[in-house]
Each structure stands twice: as C-alpha cells, then as structure tokens.
Amino acid sequence: MSEIYDVVIVGGGPAGLTAGVYAARANLKTLILDKSKTAGALAYASLIENYPGMERPLTGKELLERIRAQALSFGVEYREEQVVGVDLVSETKEVITMSGSYKGKTVIIATGSMGRKPTIKGEGELLGRGVSYCAVCDAPFFRGKTVAVIGDSEEAVKEAVYLTEFTELCYLVTSSSKLKVEESHPVFTNSKIKILTGYTIKEIVGTDFVTGLKISKEGVEQTLEVNGVFVFIQGSQPITDFLGETLKVDERGFIVVDNFMQTSIPGVFAAGDVASPHVRQVVIACAQGAVAALSAEKYIRGRSRIKADWHG
C-alpha cells in the first residue's frame, strides 16, 4: 500500500482514539489500526462513572463507542486489523498487519497493557510450539487439526470462530459459567466448536509440541487431545510483542517516553497503558493520546512547540 499517512495509530482504545481525534482535527491524514473493537481494557469495564462530563455512568464499551464515533466524525480512517510487525527506523515508518502494510510519517503506539505473562503450567515452555496468543497469525499452521481456545471474552469467541475456517475441531474452554456474548452469537451453532464452561485449566501438555490440554470440573480431570492452545485470558502486561526490540522499554516492559510521549525513536510516540506503568485510568490514557497527537503534529510540521488548542 503506497499511500503515506501523516499519523498511523496502533490501538483503538481511549489513548489511540483520542490521539485520532486530535490528529484529524489538526488536518493530519490519520489511520487507526485496531485488532478488535471489544478487546481492550476499557471494553471490559462494567461501569465507568469518574470520566469527566458524563451525565450518568456508562459501561466501558459504551464510552469507547462514543469516543470512536467522535474520532470517525473528524475523518479518522479506522481499520480492524491485527498488527504483527513494524519498521520504525526509516524516516517513513511502516506498520505491518496480516492484510498488508501501512506507511506513516509518524506512528503512535497505544496498544494498552492486557498482554500476559505465562500463568498456565506448560504455557511458557510451549509458546510458539503450539501455544499462541494470535489466531489470525497462527491459524494456518493448524489446518485440519484440533485446537483449544481458552477464554470467555468476545475476542476469544471471535478467534475461535475464525479458527474453524482452518481446524477440524475447536474446543472453547473457560472457567466462567457462560460466554460473554449474546445468545444469538453464531458460535453457539458452529458445528466445529465445542463449548466447555466451568472448567479449571490445569496444564498445557506436550514435550516438543502441544499434545493436550488438561482440565478439570468438580474434581474430575480430563485431557483434551489438541495440537494447539490459543490463550485469550486478560493480563496486565504491556502489549509490545509486535515491536521486537525497536523501542526502549523499562524493566517491566513498558515503553519509555518523555513528557511529550516521544519514544526512543524520533517520530514514534506512545500513549496510554502501554507507556504508563503507574496510573491506569481512562482520563489519563485520553490525555496522553492527546499529547502524543499534538507532538506528532509538531514533529511533522517542524513547530518549535506544541500548538495550543483551546477553541471549540
């Protein structure tokens, strides 16, 4: 894709969407790449009542939809795609997805902190050898095989449905009593998906590659014979795996930024939970997204300082 954007934003949570609002209002050609409209931390929040300007409490999903609609109203281009890699060193940056690549004069990383450290026995040891966190990335490797998806979120369900385009059978396993999707969701009528609720995940089994998933319910253990396990359980680690080692991070993996949300590479900024290890609030993420966009505008247009914006 030869088109060059002024700003490419990776992440469609409050930080990324607010960055989109500010960038588009500054007449910058802006693209937001978001892996899912419902996969972020805000989308999981059952109730938000401390965000300024709200007349009544909203669910996180409702608030996110409002900010997204606002960004789109200013002309932001929004694409639901999984980012798998980047080239940030060149003057023109490149963000690579499963569908292609996008070029930008600047990039804002706003992917949040719902990544995870391995917590299931065997998860870390078999990561990349049957254990995956990305169905879109790895589904083709399991063509005609049996896999399991762990999780109850809309993202987990969506990935399970996607996997059935390649696999023979997909177990959807969760410790919850039900999935967090509408009863009319196609997952319930998909003949290739077997839903197992109320199960405790004991171990991912395998030596060189995954061979099974050990689960239990009401004291009874069983091992599902699977070739792959896709883990979609909420975590609290910054999501930076697609960056490789291109940006400076702290000892906990959060992207290091200055007061203007500038990272270690000029023209690359970060905002929200991916760069905020101490305070995780929607209003903070939005503020950092705004600063990142203003800094991107300053970088592109060669301003000596960030442009003030107090008018309506």
Side-chain angles (χ1 to χ4, degrees), residues 81 93 100 105 145 187 262:
E81 295 188 28
K93 321 299 180 186
K105 298 174 184 176
K145 298 183 178 181
V187 69
Q262 171 70 62

Side-chain angles (χ1 to χ4, degrees), residues 27-88:
N27 292 321
L28 298 177
K29 187 171 181 58
T30 304
L31 170 68
I32 294 177
L33 297 171
D34 188 10
K35 72 173 182 179
S36 172
K37 293 179 180 178
T38 58
L42 179 56
Y44 283 105
S46 58
L47 203 64
I48 302 291
E49 58 184 7
N50 61 351
Y51 189 81
M54 293 196 310
E55 297 177 356
R56 61 176 179 84
L58 297 175
T59 65
K61 187 176 181 180
E62 287 175 320
L63 180 56
L64 197 60
E65 287 172 349
R66 289 190 180 191
I67 305 173
R68 186 184 304 114
Q70 185 181 18
L72 293 174
S73 74
F74 287 116
V76 168
E77 186 176 336
Y78 177 95
R79 293 178 180 267
E80 199 166 335
E81 295 188 28
Q82 175 80 38
V83 173
V84 295
V86 292
D87 175 7
L88 303 176

Side-chain angles (χ1 to χ4, degrees), residues 159-180:
E159 299 291 83
V161 172
Y162 178 80
L163 280 163
T164 60
E165 296 181 19
F166 300 86
T167 61
E168 184 71 26
L169 175 65
C170 179
Y171 293 100
L172 183 51
V173 190
T174 175
S175 59
S176 303
S177 59
K178 62 179 182 178
L179 303 177
K180 295 177 181 176

Side-chain angles (χ1 to χ4, degrees), residues 1-3 5 33 81 94-97 99-103:
M1 299 180 185
S2 58
E3 188 174 16
Y5 292 87
L33 297 171
E81 295 188 28
E94 185 175 15
V95 178
I96 303 160
T97 74
S99 303
S101 66
Y102 301 90
K103 295 183 178 181

Side-chain angles (χ1 to χ4, degrees), residues 6 22-29 105-106 294-304 307:
D6 292 313
Y22 274 74
R25 284 193 75 232
N27 292 321
L28 298 177
K29 187 171 181 58
K105 298 174 184 176
T106 63
L294 292 170
S295 295
E297 192 268 350
K298 172 179 175 289
Y299 176 87
I300 290 170
R301 294 179 175 152
R303 296 183 188 276
S304 60
K307 181 181 178 183

Side-chain angles (χ1 to χ4, degrees), residues 5-274:
Y5 292 87
D6 292 313
V7 184
V8 176
I9 300 168
V10 184
L17 291 173
T18 304
V21 168
Y22 274 74
R25 284 193 75 232
N27 292 321
L28 298 177
K29 187 171 181 58
T30 304
L31 170 68
I32 294 177
L33 297 171
D34 188 10
K35 72 173 182 179
S36 172
K37 293 179 180 178
T38 58
L42 179 56
Y44 283 105
S46 58
L47 203 64
I48 302 291
E49 58 184 7
N50 61 351
Y51 189 81
M54 293 196 310
E55 297 177 356
R56 61 176 179 84
L58 297 175
T59 65
K61 187 176 181 180
E62 287 175 320
L63 180 56
L64 197 60
E65 287 172 349
R66 289 190 180 191
I67 305 173
R68 186 184 304 114
Q70 185 181 18
L72 293 174
S73 74
F74 287 116
V76 168
E77 186 176 336
Y78 177 95
R79 293 178 180 267
E80 199 166 335
E81 295 188 28
Q82 175 80 38
V83 173
V84 295
V86 292
D87 175 7
L88 303 176
V89 179
S90 304
E91 183 176 352
T92 299
K93 321 299 180 186
E94 185 175 15
V95 178
I96 303 160
T97 74
M98 292 299 296
S99 303
S101 66
Y102 301 90
K103 295 183 178 181
K105 298 174 184 176
T106 63
V107 171
I108 297 174
I109 309 297
T111 44
S113 63
M114 289 183 66
R116 57 183 273 110
K117 286 185 176 179
T119 57
I120 301 169
K121 186 177 180 181
E123 179 182 353
E125 294 82 351
L126 293 168
L127 183 61
R129 292 183 291 161
V131 173
S132 173
Y133 302 136
C134 177
V136 174
C137 307
D138 297 331
F141 298 118
F142 298 91
R143 195 179 300 275
K145 298 183 178 181
T146 298
V147 300
V149 170
I150 301 174
D152 62 359
S153 66
E154 187 173 349
E155 180 187 15
V157 172
K158 178 180 177 181
E159 299 291 83
V161 172
Y162 178 80
L163 280 163
T164 60
E165 296 181 19
F166 300 86
T167 61
E168 184 71 26
L169 175 65
C170 179
Y171 293 100
L172 183 51
V173 190
T174 175
S175 59
S176 303
S177 59
K178 62 179 182 178
L179 303 177
K180 295 177 181 176
V181 293
E182 299 292 332
E183 293 181 4
S184 59
H185 196 285
V187 69
F188 296 109
T189 56
N190 191 314
S191 61
K192 286 189 172 184
I193 294 179
K194 186 172 183 180
I195 301 170
L196 302 175
T197 58
Y199 280 84
T200 299
I201 310 300
K202 305 293 289 187
E203 182 182 356
I204 298 173
V205 182
T207 304
D208 296 321
F209 298 94
V210 169
T211 58
L213 179 65
K214 188 178 293 185
I215 60 177
S216 70
K217 186 174 184 178
E218 298 176 350
V220 179
E221 282 194 4
Q222 63 173 301
T223 299
L224 305 175
E225 294 185 4
V226 297
N227 306 107
V229 176
F230 292 79
V231 184
F232 294 99
I233 303 174
Q234 182 175 342
S236 59
Q237 298 299 308
I239 300 173
T240 57
D241 54 315
F242 64 95
L243 294 171
E245 297 181 354
T246 56
L247 295 178
K248 183 179 179 181
V249 298
D250 66 14
E251 66 279 359
R252 296 169 58 189
F254 291 89
I255 298 175
V256 175
V257 294
D258 62 16
N259 291 337
F260 299 98
M261 313 315 296
Q262 171 70 62
T263 68
S264 55
I265 296 179
V268 180
F269 307 87
D273 288 358
V274 74

